[in-house]
Amino acid sequence: MKAAWNKIPALRDVMAAEETCWINPKQEPFDAVRESLPVNPAEVDDAAARLDRFAPLLMRLFPETAADGGRIESPLRELPALRERMNWREHVPAGRLFLKMDSDLAVAGSVKARGGIYEVLKHTEDLALEAGLLREDGDYATLADHRDFFAKYTVQVGSTGNLGLSIGIMSAALGYRAVVHMSADARQWKKDLLRQKGVVVREYAGDYGKAVEQGRALSDADPMSYFVDDEHSKNLFLGYAVAARRLAEQLRGQNVAVDEDHPLFVTIPCGVGGAPGGVAYGLKLLYGENVHVFFAEPVQCPCMLLGLATGEKDGVCVQDAGLTGITEADGLAVGRPSKLVCDVMERTLSGEFTVADGRLFDDLRALHATEKIFIEPSSCAAFAGYRGLVQFAAAQNYLEERGLAEKMEHAAHILWATGGRLVPQETRREYLAKRL
Ligand SMILES: *Cc1c(COP(=O)(O)O)cnc(C)c1O
């Protein structure tokens, strides 16, 4: 198996745990792919409509969402000072630079607020409709009055941390019994915060895959329990996919055109793949060939890169490539990619960048120093795609082959910040002081 891997230059770098760029040789025009994918646009419309129906309930349960009418949405911030500083120290691509601040999303403080909360709401709607507590055209805010009903049900999830926060906080707010199975990578403050909200936290010595496996088994044994399956869930995926249409409004608001002469480059940190995959799918539906989506993963944990580049999808894990799977980017510490997401991204993803842990902290500090924005280390993986466009020959070739090199002056770049708001002050100070 590994002999064949050696023929792919990026995989040689991957196995040496060096930063690299992999361009997806199977990428096709999105129009040629979209009909054959295991998700469809009507399902994203349906998810968006469901989130709208639930907005009154979210406003009631989480008053912080009231200003946005019960929408859980994040700002798009331009980063002129950071761009200038980076350009002065290293060469960066032409074009405007933005941060999509899912790091600040209400309720869960990470991108998981999209998929995780959506999936709990979908399950809640199913239960409530079946029990006759609700009609589809009824007032969803009244669901907050049925805690006794939801208390009979359990919601469980396996997580490296942030998915657990999102599922746990949302489930507990509705009155469910919530159980979060945490992998060894999960940060203590995330476990503490959940316990404080009344969520049961089970800890495992093994990695994320083990936590998911145990959680799934325990949940399957209980007919009143629902398992949020990060490795296979289409609902999570759809919750993430809704992000794109809302981003489109924000881009228009900042006078950013996305068309043949104005390419959009987006880099999203990737763990099991659900969050970046869902966001990527939504972006492709909107912008097709004019958006170039890259995922970013730690050098010791590039599971999606391995799954796609070898074609083996969830049949491969990072240990097969001689890697440890251990990283400071706790949200990305996933050794095996989601099959569903591999199937969607196989012919849609532009490529991948890998990033060394030390660089995450350097970028975390630079963003904080220049723009006064704090994001968690996992989020900082997104920088790899931005600097990687000029840093790697493979990326330069990608731009040249597609006639993009001369359009870069009119390009926009988005770093998708995936988490940060809930990180406690003391942990922030620790991260800001950390040098590897
Ligand atoms: C979960 C997470 C990701 C990646 O999402 P996946 O669905 O696991 O690919 C990225 N960044 C942060 C901060 C996360 O918590």
Side-chain angles (χ1 to χ4, degrees):
M1 181 153 69
K2 283 201 196 151
W5 293 4
N6 261 317
K7 298 206 179 76
I8 305 172
L11 283 186
R12 278 200 298 273
D13 296 339
V14 163
M15 288 188 283
E18 276 170 22
E19 292 190 334
T20 194
C21 166
W22 170 75
I23 296 299
N24 181 9
K26 293 190 189 157
Q27 193 194 5
E28 288 177 43
F30 189 63
D31 276 345
V33 182
R34 60 186 270 167
E35 299 305 324
S36 62
L37 297 177
V39 280
N40 67 62
E43 291 175 303
V44 183
D45 294 339
D46 181 55
R50 181 164 295 104
L51 286 170
D52 286 344
R53 290 199 290 279
F54 271 102
L57 176 67
L58 289 175
M59 275 202 276
R60 195 169 151 193
L61 294 177
F62 303 103
E64 57 189 298
T65 66
D68 257 344
R71 264 190 177 193
I72 296 182
E73 201 35 79
S74 74
L76 177 72
R77 272 270 297 271
E78 190 158 13
L79 305 174
L82 177 73
R83 188 182 185 286
E84 192 180 313
R85 173 177 159 137
M86 286 181 78
N87 199 30
W88 172 64
R89 303 182 151 213
E90 51 189 316
H91 183 49
V92 296
R96 291 168 74 183
L97 176 63
F98 295 89
L99 189 71
K100 178 58 178 166
M101 295 179 66
D102 278 5
S103 45
D104 271 18
L105 280 176
V107 183
S110 81
V111 68
K112 304 299 192 310
R114 298 186 183 278
I117 287 174
Y118 174 72
E119 176 143 6
V120 173
L121 295 179
K122 168 80 170 77
H123 176 58
T124 299
E125 185 180 61
D126 291 345
L127 287 178
L129 289 173
E130 195 186 295
L133 295 182
L134 183 71
R135 289 187 357 208
E136 211 169 291
D137 59 358
D139 178 5
Y140 278 47
T142 60
L143 290 173
D145 304 323
H146 292 288
R147 296 186 61 86
D148 289 347
F149 171 78
F150 293 114
K152 291 182 289 184
Y153 296 90
T154 303
V155 176
Q156 309 200 45
V157 66
S159 172
T160 61
N162 285 339
L163 185 62
L165 282 179
S166 161
I167 300 285
I169 292 171
M170 188 65 230
S171 300
L174 280 161
Y176 289 104
R177 183 171 168 266
V179 184
V180 175
H181 304 267
M182 288 285 204
S183 63
D185 308 281
R187 296 283 190 256
Q188 189 60 42
W189 67 264
K190 295 183 182 175
K191 299 176 204 166
D192 295 344
L193 181 58
L194 279 174
R195 289 191 170 117
Q196 201 184 305
K197 305 234 176 230
V199 174
V200 177
V201 178
R202 298 244 161 85
E203 300 178 53
Y204 298 89
D207 71 0
Y208 166 83
K210 272 276 173 303
V212 170
E213 196 183 306
Q214 307 259 10
R216 191 189 287 127
L218 284 170
S219 186
D220 287 352
D222 176 357
M224 298 300 274
S225 175
Y226 179 80
F227 186 65
V228 177
D229 196 331
D230 201 12
E231 291 175 337
H232 304 103
S233 171
K234 195 190 250 192
N235 285 325
L236 277 174
F237 187 92
L238 294 171
Y240 294 124
V242 173
R245 55 183 70 199
R246 295 175 176 176
L247 175 74
E249 298 163 24
Q250 294 176 322
L251 285 171
R252 280 192 295 271
Q254 305 236 27
N255 291 317
V256 178
V258 183
D259 56 37
E260 213 173 310
D261 295 316
H262 299 81
L264 176 65
F265 295 86
V266 183
T267 308
I268 319 169
C270 179
V272 73
V279 171
Y281 176 69
L283 287 167
K284 281 292 185 184
L285 285 178
L286 279 179
Y287 298 125
E289 290 328 281
N290 301 320
V291 65
H292 306 268
V293 184
F294 293 88
F295 290 173
E297 298 182 280
V299 289
Q300 285 291 351
C301 210
C303 68
M304 183 62 65
L305 194 169
L306 270 177
L308 293 177
T310 63
E312 298 190 30
K313 302 183 178 171
D314 62 339
V316 67
C317 70
V318 298
Q319 285 78 13
D320 294 338
L323 301 172
T324 62
I326 295 170
T327 169
E328 295 278 344
D330 52 326
L332 314 181
V334 178
R336 191 181 294 277
S338 149
K339 164 87 162 49
L340 168 70
V341 178
C342 288
D343 288 343
V344 178
M345 299 319 298
E346 190 172 26
R347 291 180 292 150
T348 33
L349 189 66
S350 290
E352 286 245 8
F353 293 89
T354 61
V355 57
D357 278 12
R359 212 189 278 270
L360 301 174
F361 292 98
D362 295 343
D363 288 332
L364 188 152
R365 220 166 24 247
L367 179 64
H368 188 259
T370 52
E371 306 279 357
K372 302 278 168 288
I373 295 172
F374 175 87
I375 60 178
E376 65 183 86
S378 300
S379 298
C380 295
F383 284 79
Y386 179 56
R387 66 161 59 86
L389 281 183
V390 291
Q391 187 186 348
F392 294 103
Q396 288 287 305
N397 288 341
Y398 177 94
L399 298 180
E400 267 150 37
E401 279 167 13
R402 287 163 180 75
L404 295 165
E406 60 266 27
K407 297 178 183 166
M408 296 306 278
E409 290 294 338
H410 314 283
H413 304 268
I414 295 178
L415 311 174
W416 207 284
T418 42
R421 188 174 67 102
L422 296 184
V423 178
Q425 279 309 326
E426 192 180 314
T427 311
R428 289 184 185 213
R429 276 195 295 274
E430 219 175 275
Y431 287 159
L432 284 165
K434 196 155 186 154
R435 285 166 210 270
L436 295 182

